[in-house]
Amino acid sequence: GAGVSQSPSNKVTEKGKDVELRCDPISGHTALYWYRQSLGQGLEFLIYFQGNSAPDKSGLPSDRFSAERTGGSVSTLTIQRTQQEDSAVYLCASIQLGWEDPRTGANVLTFGAGSRLTVL
Amino acid sequence: DAKTTQPPSMDCAEGRAANLPCNHSTISGNEYVYWYRQIHSQGPQYIIHGLKNNETNEMASLIITEDRKSSTLILPHATLRDTAVYYCIVMYSGGGADGLTFGKGTHLIIQP
C-alpha cells in the first residue's frame, strides 16, 4: 500500500479483555516496528521484526504482550488480560532496510496513524 | 536507552528561527542523524537527516558539529503549525539494525 495502515484506529475495552491491533506495512518493507506512546510521553520501543530473523522482543513490557508477523507482511500485536496502564497509542512503523532514496539518500521510517487503546 | 538527549521543551516566537539541539555523543562513524516531528498523536514524520555535512531542505536545516557529537535542527521562520514534538535519532545507513530508540523529544511551542 501507499502507507502504513493500522486498525482499529480507536479501541475501548474493559480491563481483563484481550485485544488485537493490526499493522499493514508498506509493501516490500522488510522491517517492522511497534511502539507504544502513553499520554505526554515519548515513543517506547516494543518489538522489531526484520525479514525472517527472530524478532527483537526486548521492549515488550510483560508476557501479556505478544506480536507476530505473518508472511513477512501484516503484523498483529496482542495484549492479553488488558490493564488500565496499557492505555496508550500503539504505533507501527516500517522501513526498507538496505535502501536509500536516490534523491535524498534518506531511508525513512514510515509510521502509521496509530491505534488508540483505552482500557476502562 | 535512547542514544540521543534533547531538552524536554522550548518556546519560540512566531516568525523567528527555532533552533533545537540534540546531543549524540556516542554516535558511531556510520550512523546518520535523523530528525522527525510528531504533531498531536499522529505518527512521527521525517524532516531531515545528515551524516557530517550540514544539510538543508524545504522544511529545515541541520547543523552537525565537526566531532558529530551534537546537532541542531533549525526551522528558519517558525509558524504556529510547527508546534510539535521533535525527535532526534541516530540510525545506520540503509536503516536500523535493531530497535530504533526514540527519546522523549523536544516539545516545541510556537508563540503567536
Side-chain angles (χ1 to χ4, degrees):
Chain A
V4 177
S5 178
Q6 291 189 246
S7 61
S9 55
N10 278 288
K11 175 72 176 180
V12 180
T13 190
E14 293 179 347
K15 177 181 174 180
K17 299 285 189 181
D18 297 352
V19 297
E20 287 189 349
L21 307 177
R22 176 188 168 106
C23 173
D24 200 343
I26 291 175
S27 178
H29 277 195
T30 53
L32 185 149
Y33 297 82
W34 281 98
Y35 294 90
R36 177 171 72 174
Q37 187 170 36
S38 301
L39 186 64
Q41 300 299 309
L43 277 69
E44 176 188 4
F45 165 73
L46 296 178
I47 189 168
Y48 162 66
F49 296 90
Q50 178 188 350
N52 295 321
S53 302
D56 177 355
K57 304 179 181 180
S58 60
L60 294 179
S62 76
D63 59 7
R64 295 187 296 106
F65 288 73
S66 63
E68 62 177 15
R69 188 179 185 194
T70 55
S73 180
V74 172
S75 177
T76 301
L77 177 69
T78 302
I79 309 172
Q80 296 178 311
R81 306 181 301 282
T82 52
Q83 303 294 313
Q84 288 183 333
E85 61 263 28
D86 299 335
S87 296
V89 175
Y90 290 82
L91 289 160
C92 174
S94 70
I95 190 170
Q96 174 61 29
L97 295 181
W99 178 89
E100 293 179 356
D101 185 299
R103 183 177 66 88
T104 67
N107 192 2
V108 175
L109 192 62
T110 303
F111 284 83
S115 292
R116 181 179 297 277
L117 174 66
T118 303
V119 182
L120 301 177
Chain B
D1 291 337
K3 295 182 178 180
T4 62
T5 56
Q6 299 175 254
S9 65
M10 292 182 64
D11 288 349
C12 179
E14 187 178 18
R16 305 297 293 269
N19 298 282
L20 291 87
C22 179
N23 287 324
H24 30 79
S25 58
T26 61
I27 192 170
S28 62
N30 55 354
E31 283 184 311
Y32 286 72
V33 179
Y34 276 75
W35 283 83
Y36 287 75
R37 78 175 180 185
Q38 184 178 29
I39 297 175
H40 300 300
S41 289
Q42 299 175 18
Q45 294 184 318
Y46 166 81
I47 301 173
I48 197 168
H49 79 294
L51 183 64
K52 54 184 178 181
N53 297 322
N54 298 337
E55 302 288 346
T56 296
N57 64 18
E58 62 276 9
M59 292 183 66
S61 294
L62 175 60
I63 307 298
I64 303 174
T65 57
E66 189 170 348
D67 63 8
R68 302 210 323 122
K69 292 186 177 181
S70 65
S71 61
T72 301
L73 177 75
I74 301 172
L75 308 178
H77 304 288
T79 70
L80 297 178
R81 287 176 295 180
D82 292 323
T83 292
V85 178
Y86 289 77
Y87 296 98
C88 164
I89 67 169
V90 295
M91 189 169 80
Y92 289 103
S93 173
D98 56 13
L100 288 174
T101 305
F102 287 73
K104 294 187 176 181
T106 295
H107 186 194
L108 175 66
I109 300 171
I110 306 301
Q111 305 282 1

